[in-house]
Amino acid sequence: MSKNIAIGVDIGGTGIKAAPVNLKTGKFTDDRYRIPTPQPSTPDAIARTVAKVIAKFNPSKKVPIGVAFPGVVQHGIVKTAANVDDSWIGTDLRAIIRDYAGHDVHVLNDADAAGFGEYKFGAAHGRNGSILMTTLGTGIGTAMIVDGTLVPNLELGHIMIDGHDAEDRAAESARDRYGYDWDQWIEQLQKYYSEMERLLWPDLIIVGGGVSKSHHMFLPKLRLRAPIVPAELLNGAGIVGAAAAAAAADKRERDEVKAAEKAGRKADKKAAKESAEA
């Protein structure tokens, strides 16, 4: 594989998907490969499946691999598990995938991956400032990128509005749950996004999730300070964002190693000079 290629893996409640991504264009360089999420979706079962989708592309050890997970991931450890087995909570996601795949990986929350993908190659490409990404589905996933830096694990779909968890009324699933027509749902979206603006003052809001395909039915009716636009990468956002985040993390780790080695050489020279002068 080219040095400009990374692999992204997106773990979902129904499917685990992967593809190699061109880091200059954000495009897949091969067809996406998908395997149904095993049931029960335990750590060993999912890690084994992730290893299979990675092996499909036979990456070398130098190829960055990013894995997006449907839950909070803090320092590689799973803290919540919304659409997979509860036994994931407390699991070292990075370690268990490394054990099964034989390849180191970078891991992050799936909404964070989608948001980073949209920043690098989608609706927020080339934009500075504060970018808020939201995905409207069964719940509300959120991500925020500030001047190119991802702020991880923002669970802003769970903010309380009118005494209710926001996603209970404003997620796309609320339309069926409460029988909302478009205008009734738009009223709930208006409350949610107005609260996001009050608290965060984003420069741009991006809306993803399956319902974003019908963005013309609701986005033009929202009255907000910031532009609010549909996501551009659609179902590929998690894969693309995971790949891009892995490449960025890989570069950051290499730079840190180089800086430490340089500092070590400088310290050795200083010690040698002081010893010679003594």
Side-chain angles (χ1 to χ4, degrees):
M1 288 186 178
S2 163
K3 66 178 182 180
N4 294 317
I5 301 296
I7 290 177
V9 181
D10 190 1
I11 299 172
T14 59
I16 296 175
K17 308 168 288 290
V21 177
N22 184 311
L23 297 171
K24 290 187 175 181
T25 65
K27 303 293 186 183
F28 294 173
T29 63
D30 202 342
D31 291 338
R32 186 188 73 164
Y33 183 57
R34 180 185 185 276
I35 298 178
T37 301
Q39 300 300 328
S41 50
T42 60
D44 285 310
I46 283 187
R48 190 178 299 114
T49 306
V50 169
K52 288 179 181 178
V53 298
I54 291 173
K56 167 72 174 178
F57 302 104
N58 192 29
S60 71
K61 296 296 184 182
K62 293 183 178 181
V63 174
I65 299 175
V67 178
F69 182 84
V72 171
V73 181
Q74 192 171 40
H75 309 299
I77 307 299
V78 174
K79 300 296 185 178
T80 66
N83 296 311
V84 291
D85 196 86
D86 286 346
S87 59
W88 267 104
I89 297 174
T91 297
D92 188 329
L93 175 62
R94 186 176 187 181
I96 194 170
I97 292 177
R98 181 173 59 235
D99 288 346
Y100 275 94
H103 199 302
D104 196 18
V105 297
H106 176 70
V107 296
L108 70 166
N109 169 264
D110 56 356
D112 287 343
F116 195 65
E118 288 291 334
Y119 169 73
K120 293 291 289 185
F121 301 106
H125 181 61
R127 295 288 296 260
N128 289 321
S130 299
I131 312 298
L132 174 64
M133 169 78 179
T134 61
T135 55
L136 303 176
T138 303
I140 299 178
T142 60
M144 196 155 195
I145 298 92
V146 181
D147 290 334
T149 298
L150 176 69
V151 182
N153 298 312
L154 292 183
E155 295 286 287
L156 298 174
H158 296 297
I159 194 167
M160 299 300 289
I161 297 178
D162 293 340
H164 299 280
D165 189 312
E167 70 176 19
D168 178 65
R169 304 294 176 89
E172 200 272 334
S173 60
R175 295 173 61 208
D176 289 331
R177 184 161 51 250
Y178 295 108
Y180 290 152
D181 61 24
W182 281 106
D183 287 339
Q184 290 171 320
W185 187 52
I186 288 167
E187 182 180 348
Q188 299 300 323
L189 290 178
Q190 182 67 58
K191 290 180 182 180
Y192 177 69
Y193 286 114
S194 291
E195 186 69 357
M196 291 297 95
E197 286 206 311
R198 186 182 74 83
L199 295 172
L200 302 174
W201 288 79
D203 295 296
L204 176 68
I205 301 172
I206 303 170
V207 179
V211 74
S212 64
K213 295 177 183 177
S214 302
H215 61 87
H216 60 284
M217 296 293 292
F218 63 98
L219 290 190
K221 297 183 180 181
L222 296 174
R223 298 292 174 256
L224 302 166
R225 289 187 298 267
I228 184 165
V229 300
E232 294 180 1
L233 299 181
L234 304 177
N235 288 334
I239 292 175
V240 172
D250 190 58
K251 181 180 184 303
R252 185 167 59 249
E253 290 172 0
R254 290 198 309 271
D255 288 346
E256 288 172 354
V257 169
K258 289 180 181 178
E261 291 175 346
K262 182 177 181 181
R265 290 194 297 270
K266 185 176 181 180
D268 289 344
K269 287 181 180 179
K270 181 178 179 182
K273 181 179 179 181
E274 291 174 347
S275 177
E277 291 174 349

